[in-house]
Structure formats: structure tokens, C-alpha cells
Amino acid sequence: MHDDLGADVPLSGPARRVVSLVPSLTEAIAASAPDRLVGATDWCTHPADLDVTRVRGTKNPDLAAVRALSPDLVVANMEENRELDVRRLRDAGVAVWVTRIETVEEALASMSRLLHEALGLDDPAWLVEARALWSTPAPRRLAVAVPIWRDPWMVVGSSTYTDDLLTRAGLTNVLAHGPAGRDGRYPTVTPDDIDAAGADVVLLPDEPYVFTADDGPEALRTPTRLVSGRLLTWYGPAMVEAHAVLTGLPE
């Protein structure tokens, strides 16, 4: 058994005790096999009633607390979690499955394989619905820009799950594609760069930076809309809700 990076995952059978270091994967497993989850990070906020042991953050997990839970499997993500923490867990004899997700297609395939191979589950209803919803790209409707941080301002660039999600929803990410496109996954820009990029609307998420009605819109001349960061960056059950919200943005 191998994870998305080709690393060996030494499981002798379906994992029954899982610690998740990724909010998206926590929600996905909780929606599919809630009895399997025994630990999650402080950032794992969905489902709201999740009652498991917390093991600190995605970038600084309490590895002793993770090991103390005697997990069959720890799930992590290449972008969200540190390679150092994954290596230390593996060196301690803990099986770790690392996902690598940069597109909608990769998200659907990765979660299906994780649930099937590591947990012994068939595709749950939410995954079947998400696959159907995202199978056909929507027609292009709006040009958008998506900041993810302020001071310095950083935006969603190319080769990211969010960029592919936007594209499939019929939204052109002007700071990743076209004349205003910038290099990199999360390029640093200025408010003037954002305003000059030609977006119809700037989508301001509430994570990782918490943009609000009083923190973000005042710095830009382009019209803005506050959106859930979960719908832009979380793969899993959030993909079902994200399809309705993103394809339904008013022109």
C-alpha cells in the first residue's frame, strides 16, 4: 500500500484508529466513518460536533500526543504538514498516509483511494455527489482574484487546488492566468496589483487570513465579496457546497 507520494504505508488491514493532521481529511473521514477518528488538530473545525483528542496544529502537531493515541494510521498532506513531522512519526513506527492534491481531479481520486485502500470503505455519498458535480466544467463567467493573506498581500496563484476549483466553476483567476498572471503558487502582490489585474470581483476568504467587512475591502477599489475559505481550499464534503456557491456567484 502506497500514499500519494509513493511512500509505503504499512497497514495489515483497514485502519480503525485514525489521527488526522488535515482539516479537509478530518471532515472527509468524519463524514464517512466517524468511529475511526481518534485525534485531529485544533484547526479541524468540521464537523462542528467533532469530539476527538486534539493534537495541536497542522504545522506543530504534538507528536507525543499522536503516538499516545496508538493510531493505526495518521493522515497528512504534503502542503499542509511538515515533512519533518511525517518522518518523525514514521521513524517511531507510525503508519502515515500523505496526500498530494493540486487539482479537483486529484482531490477526488486521492480521497477515494485513501478511503478505499486505507480504511476499507466504498465511496461515500458525498464523494459520489462531488464527483458528479465537478465532472463538467462550468462556462466562463467571471474574472476573480483571491487574496489569502495581508501584510504582505498574497494571492492564490497557479498549480493550486483552489485555482483549479475556480477554473472548473467558470471563474478566471486573473492573478494566475493571462496578462496579469504571476508566477508561483501564492505570489506576493500589492493592492494596486490586485486592482490592476482586471478582476470583476475579489473574493476575500476567512482563512488562512480572516478577511472581514472591515478588514480587506477598504484597501481595494475592485468590488469584493466575503466567502468561506473552507469552500475555496477544503477538499472533501465541502466540495459539494463549494460547487453551488462558486457556480452561483452573481455576475
Side-chain angles (χ1 to χ4, degrees):
M1 192 177 302
H2 298 86
D3 66 13
D4 289 357
L5 302 185
D8 182 51
V9 183
L11 284 174
S12 58
R16 300 291 176 182
R17 295 180 60 81
V18 180
V19 173
S20 173
L21 304 182
V22 188
S24 300
L25 295 179
T26 297
E27 183 180 26
I29 296 171
S32 309
D35 59 310
R36 308 287 184 95
L37 272 174
V38 296
T41 74
D42 296 341
W43 297 106
C44 295
T45 56
H46 287 74
D49 60 353
L50 183 66
D51 184 18
V52 297
T53 299
R54 300 295 176 160
V55 295
R56 217 158 54 202
T58 58
K59 305 297 186 186
N60 65 336
D62 184 336
L63 301 186
V66 172
R67 295 193 301 270
L69 290 169
S70 301
D72 301 318
L73 182 69
V74 172
V75 293
N77 174 262
M78 185 182 73
E79 181 173 10
E80 292 204 46
N81 306 114
R82 300 190 308 167
E83 182 182 2
L84 174 63
D85 294 321
V86 171
R87 185 169 69 250
R88 286 174 172 171
L89 286 169
R90 285 174 172 160
D91 288 345
V94 179
V96 184
W97 183 294
V98 181
T99 62
R100 177 188 182 275
I101 295 171
E102 294 182 355
T103 67
V104 170
E105 184 176 345
E106 285 179 349
L108 296 169
S110 176
M111 288 185 296
S112 180
R113 201 165 65 84
L114 169 63
L115 294 173
H116 177 67
E117 295 185 17
L119 277 70
L121 303 174
D122 293 330
D123 285 351
W126 63 262
L127 182 51
V128 173
E129 184 177 4
R131 183 180 291 117
L133 287 171
W134 290 103
S135 62
T136 304
R140 295 296 174 93
R141 300 182 306 111
L142 290 172
V144 302
V146 185
I148 59 163
W149 201 257
R150 178 173 189 170
D151 298 329
W153 286 79
M154 299 173 67
V155 296
V156 171
S158 59
S159 301
T160 59
Y161 167 76
T162 301
D163 179 55
D164 190 54
L165 190 79
L166 294 170
T167 299
R168 287 173 176 262
L171 308 174
T172 301
N173 180 9
V174 294
L175 285 168
H177 307 283
R182 300 299 180 95
D183 292 332
R185 290 166 56 81
Y186 302 105
T188 299
V189 298
T190 67
D192 286 342
D193 292 330
I194 297 173
D195 284 327
D200 298 308
V201 62
V202 176
L203 304 180
L204 296 176
D206 58 4
E207 62 173 75
Y209 187 91
V210 184
F211 288 103
T212 66
D214 300 320
D215 187 355
E218 84 291 342
L220 301 166
R221 299 185 301 276
T222 307
T224 61
R225 173 179 285 273
L226 299 177
V227 296
S228 166
R230 170 175 165 267
L231 301 186
L232 292 175
T233 61
W234 289 34
Y235 38 87
M239 296 176 74
V240 174
E241 185 181 349
H243 187 273
V245 171
L246 295 178
T247 60
L249 285 175
E251 296 187 39

